Amino acid sequence: MNLGDWISQPVNWVFTLLALASAYSGVRVVTSQNVIRAALFLVGALASSAGLFLLLSAEFVALTLVLVYIGAVIVLFLFGIMITRAPLGRDVALDHKRRAPAAITSIILFAVLSWASIRAFAGREVTGVGDATDTRLLGEALLGRFVVPFEVVSFLLLAALIGGITLARKDLSPAEEEAREAT
Amino acid sequence: MDGVDILIVVGRVLAVFVLLLVTTIFNVWLERKTIADMQNRVGPDRAGPFGLLQTVADGLKLFFKEQINPSKVEYGMFVLAPFLAVIPALLLFMVVPFGRPFTIGGREVLLQGADLNVGVLFILAMSSLAVYAVVLAGWSSGSKYPLLGAVRATAQAISYEAAIGLSIVSVVMFSSTRAGGTLSLAGIVESQAGTYLGFLPRWNLFPQVVAFVIFFLAIIAETNRAPFDLVEAEQELVGGFHTEYSGMRFAMYQLAEYMNIFSMSAICATLFLGGWNGPTFDGQIPAWVSAVLPTVWLLIKTYAVIFAFFWIRATMPRLRYDQLMQIGWKRLIPAALVWLILSTVAISVRQFGLPWSA
């Protein structure tokens, strides 16, 4: 495919915009000096990946991404930040001294992921699966072919949930319990 | 798709916006009048007939007022936040079908902003985005009371969203037994056409009454209305998350709140009360009346729900914060889960028979 063909397709324009937005907000998540701004740039990154899913006419996945990550996970982040501290302006403590190893790790990760996806999809047209937004197909795939990974992931989440509760919760002694009831 | 089709789409979107804005003006007036009546007062009666133009007067007043920028605000976010409130509120109504599709000059016109295949998910996504406006307003104001209001809002929104989602799941499961499974609101409305036993309309309300109650309580909380209006509890928080806002920015939050009330009530009517379904007397009365009647039915049902909103606000005192959390997590969500399991069992028994009857 030559450059002229590539430019003439509006879908490529949209893809480029979304990819740039995603990359920019991804970088800003790390470089932001304010933890709330960083969380908001994460929203931007997730929103542009939802846009990429829309481009592949996977409306269900796109909206699930918006609903779960933007609507719940990041809101919980913000909630957590705000009940502990809600810094305005710059926060110097957000930076750290291990920039070089972090940069090397992320470059290697980027290279590996790019290599893998180019190997897997280069020269192949990526099309939507069957009907444009076949939620039914997705459900059947999840509970048919991929049922074991699906259950493993939910088991992992359950374990993490219980682990979180046991770490965070402090069981009160009977005396403390009484004192609490009295108030 | 040619020019006329594009015009039709633009017309549909404009119709949604106009409908939302006009009903908002009307709803503010209606709320003040209703509550005034319930409290033996007269309510607004100076501007226009029956005081109908009171909202317009208030809106104009706010529009011309100074917009104060307190010195400690995080400026960009502070300005952006009111828009983040209005945009999801406008988009929320886009997926609600507000009338029967009709054919004109060989083209089918849907009375709906956009018929998404995943309309139900779109509603959940938009209502969960609305919380950003409150959180960012509270944070960027750089002041304590707005921040407290914002923290309350976040916790409340997350808790009650779960209840909304779970109650919608049981409706979607139930309507899949009729329409073959759909997440589109138009499909859910169509699945409620007809009657039970010849006189009872086949609304999802009757088989899904528990889901309806849960959904209704949760949308009151989701739109931050009394008795769940801890987000802007004046007595405790000065004004809540919008303490530092003035002028048009403040008005935008009010606008978004009333648009959300209307959209959520319309969604409630669509999911549980049959949407635009109702007798249209096709062939017995002029065709244009039959075409308009479905919209009228939807509006009547929506206003029944909205009236319940106002009625509850006039009757119930505000909940304490711990009571709010208890109702959300210990009552509504378990009830929604139990109801989901019960209705799934009932649906599968009806479809596949009892497990031992091979």
Side-chain angles (χ1 to χ4, degrees), chain A residues 36-37 70 75 82 87 133 136, chain B residues 74 77 117 132 139 154 180:
Chain A
I36 289 184
R37 295 216 162 195
I70 302 181
V75 169
M82 282 188 191
T133 56
R136 182 189 302 268
Chain B
E74 186 91 355
M77 238 12 116
N117 282 328
Y132 275 93
W139 170 69
T154 326

Side-chain angles (χ1 to χ4, degrees), chain B residues 171 174-180 187-208 269-279 301 350:
Chain B
V171 174
F174 181 76
S175 45
S176 76
T177 61
R178 291 166 169 177
I188 290 177
V189 171
E190 269 156 34
S191 75
Q192 298 179 63
T195 51
Y196 290 116
L197 309 170
F199 66 97
L200 204 61
R202 266 162 63 104
W203 294 349
N204 285 337
L205 169 67
F206 302 112
Q208 291 287 332
T270 302
L271 288 176
F272 292 99
L273 306 177
W276 46 257
N277 281 311
K301 290 166 186 172
R350 264 182 64 190

Side-chain angles (χ1 to χ4, degrees), chain B residues 73-129:
Chain B
V73 297
E74 186 91 355
Y75 188 72
M77 238 12 116
F78 186 71
V79 176
L80 187 69
F83 292 94
L84 291 181
V86 174
I87 292 168
L90 279 170
L91 288 178
L92 192 55
F93 196 70
M94 291 296 274
V95 291
V96 180
F98 57 90
R100 190 172 54 174
F102 61 90
T103 322
I104 188 161
R107 290 170 202 277
E108 199 184 33
V109 180
L110 295 174
L111 286 179
Q112 187 178 11
D115 183 16
L116 294 185
N117 282 328
V118 285
V120 171
L121 268 183
F122 184 81
I123 290 171
L124 290 173
M126 284 308 126
S127 73
S128 64
L129 286 189

Side-chain angles (χ1 to χ4, degrees), chain B residues 30-32 34-36 38-39 156 160 212-229 257 261 265 268 303-319 324 327 332:
Chain B
L30 185 72
E31 169 165 38
R32 294 179 66 179
T34 313
I35 290 176
M38 286 175 180
Q39 297 171 342
Q156 182 173 334
Y160 283 84
F212 172 74
V213 172
I214 294 164
F215 183 79
F216 181 67
L217 290 178
I219 60 174
I220 298 178
E222 190 74 9
T223 48
N224 298 329
R225 298 284 300 175
F228 302 103
D229 57 344
E257 179 177 334
I261 293 170
S265 307
C268 187
Y303 272 96
V305 180
I306 291 180
F307 180 74
F309 266 66
F310 297 161
W311 192 4
I312 288 173
R313 178 181 160 189
T315 328
M316 304 279 288
R318 181 180 302 133
L319 293 171
L324 175 94
I327 291 180
L332 286 187

Side-chain angles (χ1 to χ4, degrees), chain A residues 23 41 147:
Chain A
F41 277 114
V147 68

Side-chain angles (χ1 to χ4, degrees), chain A residues 34 36-37 40 43 59-60 63-64 66-67 70-72 74-76 78-79 82-83 86-89 133 135-136, chain B residues 72 74 77 116-118 121-122 124-125 128-129 131-132 135-136 139-140 142 147 151 154-155 158 161 180-181 183:
Chain A
N34 181 304
I36 289 184
R37 295 216 162 195
L40 292 177
V43 171
E59 291 173 22
F60 182 83
L63 280 176
T64 311
V66 172
L67 178 64
I70 302 181
I74 308 279
V75 169
L76 271 178
L78 289 175
F79 180 64
M82 282 188 191
I83 50 172
L88 287 166
T133 56
T135 312
R136 182 189 302 268
Chain B
K72 280 198 177 169
E74 186 91 355
M77 238 12 116
L116 294 185
N117 282 328
V118 285
L121 268 183
F122 184 81
L124 290 173
S128 64
L129 286 189
V131 74
Y132 275 93
V135 172
L136 293 180
W139 170 69
S140 65
L147 187 67
V151 170
T154 326
I158 291 173
E161 245 159 50
L183 288 170

Side-chain angles (χ1 to χ4, degrees), chain B residues 24 82 84-87 89 251-261:
Chain B
T24 301
L84 291 181
V86 174
I87 292 168
M252 281 168 84
Y253 277 111
Q254 299 297 322
L255 184 69
E257 179 177 334
Y258 279 87
M259 287 199 293
N260 275 330
I261 293 170

